[in-house]
Amino acid sequence: MKLIKKIELVSPAGNWDSLIASINAGADAVYLGYNKYSARAYADNFDLKMLKKAVNTAHDYGVKVYIALNTLIKDSEIKDVLLFLNEYLSFCNDGIILQDLGLFYLIKSLFLKEIPDIRIHASTQLNIHNLKSVEFLKELDFKRVILAREMTLEEIKNITEKNLLEIEIFAHGACCYSYSGSCYFSSFTGVRSGNRGRCTQPCRMKYKVFNSKFKDLFSEELYILSKSDLFTLNLLPKIILSGVNALKIEGRMKTADYVGIITKIYRKYIDLCYKLFSTDYDFSKLQSNNAVFSGIASNIYDFKIDNKDLFKIMQVFSRNLYEGYFLDKYPSDIIFLKKSGSTGNFLGRITSVEKNANSMIIELKSNWEVNTNDILEIWTKKGNEQVKVNEVVFLGQKSGKFLYAIRLSKNIRCNLNDRVFKIFDVNLDEEAKSLYKNGIIKKKIINKISTNIEIDIKLNEFKKSVIKNIDISLKNIIKDKNNTIKDEAVKTVKTVKDVKAVNHENNFSIAVEIYSANHLKELVKYKPSYINYIVINDFNYIKDIDTKVSIKGSVKDILNLDISNFDNVFIKLPQIVYDEQLNNLKNIILKLLNIGFKGFSISNFGVLKVINEICLVYPHKIDKKINILVDWAFNLFNSFSVKFFLNLPNLNLNYINFSYFLISPELDLLEVKTIIDNNECVLNKNNLNKINDIKLGVYSYGYIPVMISRINNSFLKQLFQNKNNYSSTKKHSYNLIDNNSLENCYYLEDKKGYKFKIDFDWQGNLVFLNSKKICNLFDLEDFFNKNIVNFYLDSRTLNINEIINLITYYKKAAYLLQSSKRQEFALLLNNAINKNIFKEYTRGHFYRKVI
């Protein structure tokens, strides 16, 4: 009988107790963080000494350790991270989970010779959700990809059946509302970046919903962004047979009790699957593409989940549970409006209440047992009350339910028929603590995992060699604490004083993102010399390139315009694009190239892979290089993230030219300046073009998207229309959201009164915009003095006249600064402040450092 490799169970270890609980409960691997750099900065995490102890302990019991460096790294932090890795890799090479592209570039540059088999895992923060992206990462020598949570089993299987890389997916736990790596909600509503592991979880807060007239649609605030918790026990046979290599449990911020119980239960049912497979499964079915989804239902194997285990999962910590996107691209149970925290287990409703001065007794018909010292939460009309159980009297059973008289620890306001939940179970607490309180209870593995990397040179020589390479590599681009440039780099990188003497007339540029292809026609009528780059973000229009006549006109008509005065016109290709759409995207790009478009804005590795394949297969269609604008969605956070793209070994640079990089909007002014200064003297891979030929730009104007989700327009309509199923408010009937209507706009309002507009991507998926637009016009002089001269203007909410006015103000302000006409510059700004397009703005993070 053909055997299938056993899937790896990966558990979280946010602290030492969780590590012990994971090992005892049966994890095959754990993932943990370094206390300085981790996507869960508020977990306890580990310092270097404790990491070494953790690795040795885990390896003694045959458990692998994956270090989670899945956070964005600033230039000022890079050397510290590399020195840490230099130590860490001397005792563990199980796997490094990465998000930062610059850090990946440096690891490959500095450590590859000494550790040719270095294992780098692509974090879910990289938002990998299509096959072409996986192929791209394989070419870069990633070993494993942790896929985006927003994928169906069929979409996952389309990747796993190619057997390119190890594939890991999340199987249980909390889910972000936004695609991971694409959420900026926390940083723009405060200073704590989710991409830096410091999310304040604004999606777990309550919000009001307003229409375009700012009318409150409901009488109460809702947890409109709070996703249910992922739960996949029922799907384990299908997931395993889909070819996934590893299942991950979320929870580095959770307690050791949670980690132990959840790991123990998933271990139990994974093992049960393989036991059933070994006797009942005809593995020849694996040859059928539909085998996983048609003939392999869980009940064939008598695969059933014990209700007691479901009770434990809900009890240890759980929001409302759902099965993710595995069976449905748009699941209906994805949001739980009523509560964002753990709900515990619903016991039943109060059938009797007896109060006196010193105590209170309720009677309850309960679904589950109740014991002394349990903690209950009673949902009353006045709110929720938590009370401890002081005494329990069992009254019997009726219709399969337990009848109890319960003496509570205090008197509360409650009434007949109020709902009662158990939020703490004393027996489960004892079981959970037994998994870590007494240390490791498993036997050591005889053939344990080696803690040393097999390399050809001695360990000390290896360390010295790598440290030397770090110093040499960073010498020209990493500044010291006094903000001066070291040694020979001072000859090529400008200081602030140098920048003030530079004439920016030829360097200053404006890139404008427009949301209607027809706006390009209007901009051509305007003075084209005022605009250097145009990005057309109207893919619903572009994708209909074969349509001869449409409401908006023909794409080919645009090419009849004189756009020779523009440096580049870019078509913005989708950030979220699955395989079923990616297959068609290749044809669209080919047709765009055929009619003359040579520029594309990208924010997805799979899309870049498609463009590269076109260059290799159809070179005759490329009469000049394809210009690429690298969008800010790639989170270009340090100087090396630019070098990552310029030195990609798997691209045909004879046909592809990176002409514009849009730096992360989460960096402050000095951090942006560092990236620009550090890259001024860098050459690309072929040393053909200086970096001065490439623009490094900043998002300088617009309502920046703070979240994008795989939740679409129709779901939101249904959710609101059925809201009475989730709360006590009266029924409403709304024709809620129509993304084809510009007039029909909707907003979320937080507790501080800030309103966030709801928009949509090309597929109708929800996009949430920041409450205020970013605007840097009034700080232009400060930007110029720091050598920041390329400005990206996002016109998402503007009409064509407002777009022209916006460009005019930026261009005129730049001209007056360059001409030293300071009085006229001041008058221009005084005039601009009264214009609607410049009212109620934020300066973004340029003067507010994220942490």
Side-chain angles (χ1 to χ4, degrees):
M1 178 176 288
K2 181 178 177 182
L3 297 178
I4 188 169
K5 186 175 179 180
K6 200 161 188 178
I7 201 165
E8 183 180 78
L9 179 59
V10 186
S11 294
N15 54 42
W16 185 260
D17 284 347
S18 292
L19 172 69
I20 301 303
S22 294
I23 294 172
N24 283 330
D28 299 301
V30 295
Y31 63 106
L32 43 72
Y34 178 43
N35 57 6
K36 290 186 179 180
Y37 307 107
S38 169
R40 291 294 181 269
Y42 298 128
D44 289 345
N45 294 312
F46 296 78
D47 60 19
L48 194 57
K49 181 180 178 181
M50 287 300 293
L51 275 174
K52 191 165 187 176
K53 181 181 177 183
V55 169
N56 287 333
T57 301
H59 284 184
D60 280 345
Y61 296 91
V63 175
K64 293 181 179 179
V65 176
Y66 304 137
I67 185 72
L69 287 176
N70 51 338
T71 185
L72 297 177
I73 308 296
K74 297 181 180 182
D75 274 306
S76 59
E77 301 165 337
I78 280 179
K79 186 169 183 177
D80 188 40
V81 175
L82 292 176
L83 290 173
F84 158 72
L85 279 172
N86 183 69
E87 293 290 332
Y88 181 80
L89 286 171
S90 71
F91 59 82
C92 186
N93 184 30
D94 292 345
I96 306 170
I97 305 171
L98 288 186
Q99 173 191 12
D100 191 282
L101 302 178
L103 183 56
F104 170 81
Y105 170 79
L106 283 167
I107 290 174
K108 297 294 288 184
S109 301
L110 293 171
F111 297 103
L112 186 60
K113 289 182 180 179
E114 287 78 11
I115 317 172
D117 62 339
I118 190 167
R119 289 185 53 83
I120 299 180
H121 298 188
S123 170
T124 192
Q125 291 285 115
L126 283 173
N127 189 15
I128 304 301
H129 57 271
N130 57 54
L131 176 62
K132 290 298 180 184
S133 292
V134 175
E135 291 177 356
F136 188 88
L137 295 183
K138 178 178 174 59
E139 292 168 354
L140 297 181
D141 208 25
F142 278 83
K143 304 300 183 187
R144 176 179 290 193
V145 174
I146 305 166
L147 294 177
R149 290 176 175 89
E150 296 83 356
M151 297 187 70
T152 67
L153 269 174
E154 292 210 29
E155 290 165 343
I156 292 168
K157 186 172 181 290
N158 186 55
I159 293 173
T160 59
E161 66 185 5
K162 303 299 188 296
N163 200 28
L164 297 170
L165 293 173
E166 294 175 10
I167 300 298
E168 181 176 310
I169 62 171
F170 278 91
H172 191 93
C175 295
C176 299
Y177 186 90
S178 176
Y179 283 90
S180 293
S182 300
C183 184
Y184 307 88
F185 204 2
S186 178
S187 75
F188 276 95
T189 54
V191 295
R192 301 182 183 276
S193 170
N195 291 317
R196 298 262 293 168
R198 293 171 170 84
C199 182
T200 57
Q201 296 191 314
C203 57
R204 300 298 182 188
M205 306 298 180
K206 285 185 174 182
Y207 294 89
K208 291 182 178 179
V209 184
F210 288 85
N211 62 15
S212 56
K213 297 179 181 179
F214 295 105
K215 179 182 178 181
D216 188 353
L217 297 182
F218 304 107
S219 58
E220 64 178 311
E221 297 174 325
L222 305 169
Y223 292 107
I224 192 69
L225 303 178
S226 184
K227 274 190 177 180
S228 301
D229 276 8
L230 181 60
F231 167 78
T232 62
L233 280 184
N234 291 314
L235 302 177
L236 281 181
K238 293 183 178 182
I239 290 174
I240 291 170
L241 292 173
S242 73
V244 168
N245 301 97
L247 288 180
K248 173 173 281 186
I249 295 171
E250 179 275 338
R252 277 193 290 148
M253 294 287 291
K254 300 284 178 54
T255 65
D257 299 50
Y258 171 91
V259 171
I261 292 297
I262 299 299
T263 300
K264 183 179 179 181
I265 291 173
Y266 272 82
R267 175 80 278 154
K268 172 183 174 180
Y269 288 99
I270 289 173
D271 291 347
L272 176 60
C273 281
Y274 284 93
K275 181 180 179 181
L276 294 170
F277 293 162
S278 66
T279 56
D280 298 334
Y281 182 59
D282 178 4
F283 281 88
S284 64
K285 292 181 181 180
L286 281 175
Q287 304 304 315
S288 169
N289 289 334
N290 296 320
V292 172
F293 309 105
S294 58
I296 313 206
S298 299
N299 57 10
I300 290 178
Y301 309 105
D302 195 28
F303 183 82
K304 296 179 181 178
I305 310 301
D306 190 327
N307 284 337
K308 291 181 180 179
D309 290 323
L310 293 176
F311 170 86
K312 292 177 182 179
I313 286 174
M314 289 297 296
Q315 195 60 60
V316 73
F317 180 95
S318 184
R319 300 175 180 91
N320 189 54
L321 296 176
Y322 84 123
E323 293 181 334
Y325 293 86
F326 290 113
L327 302 181
D328 191 347
K329 295 176 184 177
Y330 298 102
S332 59
D333 53 352
I334 194 168
I335 300 294
F336 187 62
L337 295 176
K338 194 65 179 176
K339 189 176 182 181
S340 67
S342 181
T343 57
N345 279 288
F346 175 63
L347 298 183
R349 293 180 181 270
I350 295 174
T351 59
S352 172
V353 178
E354 179 184 332
K355 296 181 181 179
N356 58 46
N358 299 317
S359 65
M360 179 175 182
I361 297 174
I362 63 170
E363 289 187 7
L364 178 68
K365 185 186 292 186
S366 176
N367 296 306
W368 300 100
E369 291 183 3
V370 178
N371 297 289
T372 302
N373 294 324
D374 285 349
I375 297 177
L376 309 180
E377 184 173 85
I378 301 176
W379 290 21
T380 74
K381 293 181 179 179
K382 300 292 184 179
N384 301 348
E385 288 268 9
Q386 294 185 8
V387 289
K388 188 175 182 180
V389 175
N390 278 355
E391 185 181 354
V392 179
V393 177
F394 178 61
L395 302 177
Q397 282 187 273
K398 185 177 181 181
S399 303
K401 295 191 175 184
F402 303 99
L403 305 180
Y404 290 113
I406 302 170
R407 186 183 301 277
L408 304 180
S409 60
K410 62 179 180 179
N411 285 357
I412 62 172
R413 292 183 179 180
C414 64
N415 296 289
L416 294 178
N417 219 35
D418 281 348
R419 287 178 290 176
V420 181
F421 293 79
K422 184 191 285 192
I423 62 170
F424 175 81
D425 184 276
V426 66
N427 292 331
L428 182 62
D429 182 65
E430 182 178 345
E431 179 185 349
K433 287 180 170 49
S434 72
L435 292 170
Y436 64 90
K437 283 295 185 182
N438 298 316
I440 297 179
I441 55 180
K442 294 176 63 176
K443 291 183 179 180
K444 287 188 177 182
I445 305 296
I446 296 176
N447 297 318
K448 67 178 184 178
I449 299 172
S450 173
T451 58
N452 294 319
I453 301 169
E454 295 181 1
I455 52 179
D456 294 329
I457 57 178
K458 293 180 180 179
L459 182 58
N460 289 335
E461 292 177 353
F462 159 68
K463 287 185 178 182
K464 291 176 182 178
S465 173
V466 176
I467 289 172
K468 182 179 178 182
N469 288 335
I470 290 173
D471 287 335
I472 292 173
S473 180
L474 301 183
K475 195 170 188 180
N476 293 334
I477 52 179
I478 297 297
K479 298 182 177 183
D480 64 22
K481 294 180 180 179
N482 296 319
N483 202 35
T484 59
I485 310 299
K486 292 184 177 181
D487 297 343
E488 65 266 25
V490 74
K491 299 176 183 177
T492 53
V493 181
K494 300 177 180 65
T495 64
V496 175
K497 291 183 179 179
D498 294 327
V499 172
K500 289 185 177 179
V502 171
N503 182 349
H504 294 290
E505 188 170 1
N506 295 324
N507 294 328
F508 171 78
S509 75
I510 288 177
V512 59
E513 183 172 345
I514 58 176
Y515 289 78
S516 168
N518 278 341
H519 282 172
L520 181 60
K521 299 178 183 179
E522 300 298 327
L523 290 176
V524 169
K525 295 176 185 177
Y526 179 59
K527 298 176 181 178
S529 61
Y530 277 30
I531 314 166
N532 305 92
Y533 304 90
I534 291 180
V535 180
I536 304 173
N537 186 350
D538 193 5
F539 194 71
N540 269 323
Y541 173 67
I542 298 297
K543 69 182 176 63
D544 296 326
I545 190 170
D546 282 335
T547 305
K548 294 182 179 179
V549 179
S550 70
I551 296 173
K552 300 176 183 178
S554 170
V555 174
K556 294 183 180 180
D557 289 344
I558 297 175
L559 273 298
N560 294 325
L561 301 171
D562 181 11
I563 57 176
S564 59
N565 288 318
F566 299 110
D567 291 343
N568 269 305
V569 174
F570 296 94
I571 302 296
K572 188 162 189 174
L573 299 175
Q575 177 185 358
I576 307 300
V577 52
Y578 290 86
D579 287 322
E580 62 179 336
Q581 301 144 344
L582 203 57
N583 294 332
N584 190 46
L585 182 65
K586 180 177 179 180
N587 295 327
I588 295 171
I589 294 172
L590 274 169
K591 290 169 184 175
L592 288 168
L593 289 170
N594 192 49
I595 62 176
F597 281 105
K598 301 298 180 187
F600 298 98
S601 170
I602 62 164
S603 51
N604 184 294
F605 285 124
V607 173
L608 182 57
K609 170 72 173 172
V610 168
I611 292 174
N612 191 54
E613 288 178 346
I614 288 172
C615 294
L616 294 172
V617 179
Y618 306 98
H620 57 283
K621 292 186 177 289
I622 317 296
D623 56 356
K624 62 179 182 179
K625 283 191 173 185
I626 296 175
N627 286 316
I628 299 295
L629 185 153
V630 179
D631 190 74
W632 60 269
F634 273 117
N635 292 314
L636 305 180
F637 218 72
N638 54 61
S639 304
F640 290 101
S641 56
V642 175
K643 291 192 70 176
F644 166 86
F645 283 96
L646 294 177
N647 291 276
L648 282 170
N650 55 335
L651 290 191
N652 189 339
L653 295 179
N654 291 321
Y655 296 101
I656 293 175
N657 176 57
F658 290 104
S659 59
Y660 200 109
F661 291 91
L662 198 49
I663 296 170
S664 169
E666 291 191 301
L667 294 174
D668 70 21
L669 210 56
L670 289 176
E671 291 162 347
V672 172
K673 170 182 162 47
T674 298
I675 293 177
I676 293 172
D677 287 353
N678 285 344
N679 278 293
E680 276 193 330
C681 57
V682 177
L683 302 179
N684 72 7
K685 178 175 169 52
N686 293 323
N687 294 324
L688 297 176
N689 298 313
K690 290 186 177 181
I691 198 73
N692 289 336
D693 299 325
I694 298 172
K695 302 295 185 184
L696 300 178
V698 294
Y699 188 103
S700 182
Y701 182 93
Y703 286 91
I704 195 165
V706 292
M707 286 199 302
I708 181 170
S709 65
R710 198 177 193 180
I711 300 178
N712 70 0
N713 170 358
S714 59
F715 169 75
L716 198 55
K717 284 183 183 179
Q718 180 183 1
L719 186 66
F720 286 166
Q721 289 169 352
N722 296 333
K723 176 184 169 294
N724 55 294
N725 295 330
Y726 298 90
S727 68
S728 59
T729 51
K730 295 180 180 179
K731 294 182 180 181
H732 300 273
S733 178
Y734 301 109
N735 181 17
L736 191 64
I737 293 180
D738 179 8
N739 56 316
N740 295 318
S741 172
L742 293 176
E743 292 77 23
N744 201 0
C745 300
Y746 290 83
Y747 301 81
L748 297 185
E749 183 183 82
D750 66 12
K751 290 184 178 294
K752 295 181 179 180
Y754 292 114
K755 293 181 174 63
F756 303 86
K757 185 179 179 181
I758 302 173
D759 206 346
F760 307 90
D761 73 357
W762 69 286
Q763 302 175 79
N765 291 324
L766 300 187
V767 178
F768 292 86
L769 307 183
N770 194 27
S771 60
K772 291 185 178 181
K773 55 181 164 283
I774 292 173
C775 178
N776 303 132
L777 176 70
F778 305 98
D779 301 306
L780 213 58
E781 183 175 13
D782 200 7
F783 279 66
F784 270 37
N785 287 338
K786 291 177 175 59
N787 202 20
I788 302 170
V789 294
N790 302 307
F791 299 91
Y792 192 94
L793 312 181
D794 183 350
S795 69
R796 185 188 296 259
T797 60
L798 306 181
N799 61 42
I800 185 60
N801 291 327
E802 290 171 326
I803 295 171
I804 291 173
N805 284 336
L806 175 66
I807 296 166
T808 302
Y809 271 102
Y810 265 83
K811 185 68 177 182
K812 192 169 183 179
Y815 167 76
L816 294 174
L817 279 175
Q818 292 161 354
S819 305
S820 299
K821 298 181 178 180
R822 306 190 64 80
Q823 187 174 358
E824 292 180 48
F825 175 73
L827 289 173
L828 179 75
L829 296 188
N830 285 336
N831 177 266
I833 197 68
N834 296 315
K835 302 294 182 181
N836 286 333
I837 57 174
F838 297 119
K839 289 182 178 179
E840 296 183 1
Y841 69 90
T842 174
R843 300 160 93 190
H845 283 296
F846 293 110
Y847 297 90
R848 187 178 63 165
K849 188 187 297 286
V850 298
I851 57 174

PDB file of all heavy atoms in Angstrom, residues 796-809:
ATOM      1  N   ARG A 796      -7.839  58.470  -5.700  1.00  0.00           N
ATOM      2  CA  ARG A 796      -8.987  57.566  -5.583  1.00  0.00           C
ATOM      3  C   ARG A 796     -10.311  58.293  -5.379  1.00  0.00           C
ATOM      4  O   ARG A 796     -11.340  57.920  -5.945  1.00  0.00           O
ATOM      5  CB  ARG A 796      -8.759  56.593  -4.423  1.00  0.00           C
ATOM      6  CG  ARG A 796      -9.832  55.538  -4.278  1.00  0.00           C
ATOM      7  CD  ARG A 796      -9.645  54.722  -3.006  1.00  0.00           C
ATOM      8  NE  ARG A 796      -8.429  53.962  -3.014  1.00  0.00           N
ATOM      9  CZ  ARG A 796      -8.354  52.653  -3.287  1.00  0.00           C
ATOM     10  NH1 ARG A 796      -9.445  51.995  -3.613  1.00  0.00           N
ATOM     11  NH2 ARG A 796      -7.199  52.027  -3.246  1.00  0.00           N
ATOM     12  N   THR A 797     -10.347  59.343  -4.582  1.00  0.00           N
ATOM     13  CA  THR A 797     -11.615  59.995  -4.225  1.00  0.00           C
ATOM     14  C   THR A 797     -11.859  61.295  -5.001  1.00  0.00           C
ATOM     15  O   THR A 797     -12.798  62.024  -4.691  1.00  0.00           O
ATOM     16  CB  THR A 797     -11.623  60.317  -2.719  1.00  0.00           C
ATOM     17  OG1 THR A 797     -10.526  61.188  -2.424  1.00  0.00           O
ATOM     18  CG2 THR A 797     -11.500  59.047  -1.895  1.00  0.00           C
ATOM     19  N   LEU A 798     -11.022  61.585  -6.016  1.00  0.00           N
ATOM     20  CA  LEU A 798     -11.073  62.877  -6.701  1.00  0.00           C
ATOM     21  C   LEU A 798     -11.676  62.762  -8.092  1.00  0.00           C
ATOM     22  O   LEU A 798     -11.524  61.745  -8.766  1.00  0.00           O
ATOM     23  CB  LEU A 798      -9.666  63.474  -6.797  1.00  0.00           C
ATOM     24  CG  LEU A 798      -8.867  63.620  -5.503  1.00  0.00           C
ATOM     25  CD1 LEU A 798      -7.508  64.239  -5.794  1.00  0.00           C
ATOM     26  CD2 LEU A 798      -9.639  64.442  -4.472  1.00  0.00           C
ATOM     27  N   ASN A 799     -12.324  63.857  -8.525  1.00  0.00           N
ATOM     28  CA  ASN A 799     -12.739  63.946  -9.925  1.00  0.00           C
ATOM     29  C   ASN A 799     -11.595  64.535 -10.749  1.00  0.00           C
ATOM     30  O   ASN A 799     -10.570  64.939 -10.205  1.00  0.00           O
ATOM     31  CB  ASN A 799     -14.032  64.755 -10.072  1.00  0.00           C
ATOM     32  CG  ASN A 799     -13.873  66.185  -9.570  1.00  0.00           C
ATOM     33  OD1 ASN A 799     -12.855  66.847  -9.808  1.00  0.00           O
ATOM     34  ND2 ASN A 799     -14.907  66.686  -8.874  1.00  0.00           N
ATOM     35  N   ILE A 800     -11.780  64.630 -12.048  1.00  0.00           N
ATOM     36  CA  ILE A 800     -10.666  65.027 -12.918  1.00  0.00           C
ATOM     37  C   ILE A 800     -10.204  66.453 -12.637  1.00  0.00           C
ATOM     38  O   ILE A 800      -8.995  66.739 -12.670  1.00  0.00           O
ATOM     39  CB  ILE A 800     -11.041  64.853 -14.411  1.00  0.00           C
ATOM     40  CG1 ILE A 800      -9.828  65.140 -15.298  1.00  0.00           C
ATOM     41  CG2 ILE A 800     -12.234  65.701 -14.775  1.00  0.00           C
ATOM     42  CD1 ILE A 800      -8.651  64.241 -15.058  1.00  0.00           C
ATOM     43  N   ASN A 801     -11.117  67.364 -12.329  1.00  0.00           N
ATOM     44  CA  ASN A 801     -10.717  68.742 -12.025  1.00  0.00           C
ATOM     45  C   ASN A 801      -9.898  68.808 -10.736  1.00  0.00           C
ATOM     46  O   ASN A 801      -8.913  69.556 -10.653  1.00  0.00           O
ATOM     47  CB  ASN A 801     -11.948  69.641 -11.916  1.00  0.00           C
ATOM     48  CG  ASN A 801     -12.633  69.843 -13.250  1.00  0.00           C
ATOM     49  OD1 ASN A 801     -11.975  69.880 -14.292  1.00  0.00           O
ATOM     50  ND2 ASN A 801     -13.953  69.963 -13.230  1.00  0.00           N
ATOM     51  N   GLU A 802     -10.303  68.009  -9.751  1.00  0.00           N
ATOM     52  CA  GLU A 802      -9.551  67.977  -8.493  1.00  0.00           C
ATOM     53  C   GLU A 802      -8.166  67.356  -8.697  1.00  0.00           C
ATOM     54  O   GLU A 802      -7.179  67.775  -8.083  1.00  0.00           O
ATOM     55  CB  GLU A 802     -10.343  67.194  -7.443  1.00  0.00           C
ATOM     56  CG  GLU A 802     -11.595  67.920  -6.967  1.00  0.00           C
ATOM     57  CD  GLU A 802     -12.482  67.049  -6.101  1.00  0.00           C
ATOM     58  OE1 GLU A 802     -12.543  65.819  -6.341  1.00  0.00           O
ATOM     59  OE2 GLU A 802     -13.140  67.593  -5.183  1.00  0.00           O
ATOM     60  N   ILE A 803      -8.097  66.357  -9.569  1.00  0.00           N
ATOM     61  CA  ILE A 803      -6.797  65.739  -9.876  1.00  0.00           C
ATOM     62  C   ILE A 803      -5.856  66.760 -10.487  1.00  0.00           C
ATOM     63  O   ILE A 803      -4.684  66.886 -10.093  1.00  0.00           O
ATOM     64  CB  ILE A 803      -6.970  64.537 -10.827  1.00  0.00           C
ATOM     65  CG1 ILE A 803      -7.765  63.426 -10.145  1.00  0.00           C
ATOM     66  CG2 ILE A 803      -5.608  64.003 -11.274  1.00  0.00           C
ATOM     67  CD1 ILE A 803      -8.163  62.297 -11.081  1.00  0.00           C
ATOM     68  N   ILE A 804      -6.365  67.524 -11.445  1.00  0.00           N
ATOM     69  CA  ILE A 804      -5.540  68.547 -12.111  1.00  0.00           C
ATOM     70  C   ILE A 804      -5.100  69.616 -11.121  1.00  0.00           C
ATOM     71  O   ILE A 804      -3.945  70.051 -11.122  1.00  0.00           O
ATOM     72  CB  ILE A 804      -6.315  69.156 -13.294  1.00  0.00           C
ATOM     73  CG1 ILE A 804      -6.472  68.102 -14.406  1.00  0.00           C
ATOM     74  CG2 ILE A 804      -5.601  70.396 -13.832  1.00  0.00           C
ATOM     75  CD1 ILE A 804      -7.364  68.533 -15.547  1.00  0.00           C
ATOM     76  N   ASN A 805      -6.012  70.032 -10.236  1.00  0.00           N
ATOM     77  CA  ASN A 805      -5.653  71.037  -9.219  1.00  0.00           C
ATOM     78  C   ASN A 805      -4.583  70.498  -8.276  1.00  0.00           C
ATOM     79  O   ASN A 805      -3.643  71.210  -7.913  1.00  0.00           O
ATOM     80  CB  ASN A 805      -6.893  71.439  -8.419  1.00  0.00           C
ATOM     81  CG  ASN A 805      -7.809  72.368  -9.201  1.00  0.00           C
ATOM     82  OD1 ASN A 805      -7.352  73.061 -10.111  1.00  0.00           O
ATOM     83  ND2 ASN A 805      -9.085  72.385  -8.863  1.00  0.00           N
ATOM     84  N   LEU A 806      -4.722  69.246  -7.879  1.00  0.00           N
ATOM     85  CA  LEU A 806      -3.748  68.620  -6.983  1.00  0.00           C
ATOM     86  C   LEU A 806      -2.358  68.617  -7.614  1.00  0.00           C
ATOM     87  O   LEU A 806      -1.368  69.024  -6.984  1.00  0.00           O
ATOM     88  CB  LEU A 806      -4.190  67.189  -6.675  1.00  0.00           C
ATOM     89  CG  LEU A 806      -3.219  66.335  -5.850  1.00  0.00           C
ATOM     90  CD1 LEU A 806      -3.086  66.885  -4.436  1.00  0.00           C
ATOM     91  CD2 LEU A 806      -3.690  64.872  -5.817  1.00  0.00           C
ATOM     92  N   ILE A 807      -2.277  68.174  -8.849  1.00  0.00           N
ATOM     93  CA  ILE A 807      -0.991  68.117  -9.547  1.00  0.00           C
ATOM     94  C   ILE A 807      -0.400  69.514  -9.693  1.00  0.00           C
ATOM     95  O   ILE A 807       0.802  69.725  -9.494  1.00  0.00           O
ATOM     96  CB  ILE A 807      -1.160  67.450 -10.927  1.00  0.00           C
ATOM     97  CG1 ILE A 807      -1.592  65.993 -10.760  1.00  0.00           C
ATOM     98  CG2 ILE A 807       0.134  67.523 -11.732  1.00  0.00           C
ATOM     99  CD1 ILE A 807      -2.094  65.362 -12.039  1.00  0.00           C
ATOM    100  N   THR A 808      -1.263  70.473 -10.032  1.00  0.00           N
ATOM    101  CA  THR A 808      -0.797  71.848 -10.228  1.00  0.00           C
ATOM    102  C   THR A 808      -0.165  72.416  -8.966  1.00  0.00           C
ATOM    103  O   THR A 808       0.898  73.049  -9.016  1.00  0.00           O
ATOM    104  CB  THR A 808      -1.969  72.742 -10.671  1.00  0.00           C
ATOM    105  OG1 THR A 808      -2.531  72.216 -11.884  1.00  0.00           O
ATOM    106  CG2 THR A 808      -1.508  74.171 -10.909  1.00  0.00           C
ATOM    107  N   TYR A 809      -0.802  72.181  -7.833  1.00  0.00           N
ATOM    108  CA  TYR A 809      -0.263  72.708  -6.570  1.00  0.00           C
ATOM    109  C   TYR A 809       1.092  72.078  -6.246  1.00  0.00           C
ATOM    110  O   TYR A 809       2.030  72.771  -5.843  1.00  0.00           O
ATOM    111  CB  TYR A 809      -1.255  72.466  -5.433  1.00  0.00           C
ATOM    112  CG  TYR A 809      -2.250  73.596  -5.260  1.00  0.00           C
ATOM    113  CD1 TYR A 809      -3.557  73.487  -5.733  1.00  0.00           C
ATOM    114  CD2 TYR A 809      -1.879  74.788  -4.629  1.00  0.00           C
ATOM    115  CE1 TYR A 809      -4.474  74.515  -5.571  1.00  0.00           C
ATOM    116  CE2 TYR A 809      -2.792  75.820  -4.459  1.00  0.00           C
ATOM    117  CZ  TYR A 809      -4.077  75.691  -4.936  1.00  0.00           C
ATOM    118  OH  TYR A 809      -4.977  76.723  -4.785  1.00  0.00           O
TER     119      TYR A 809
END
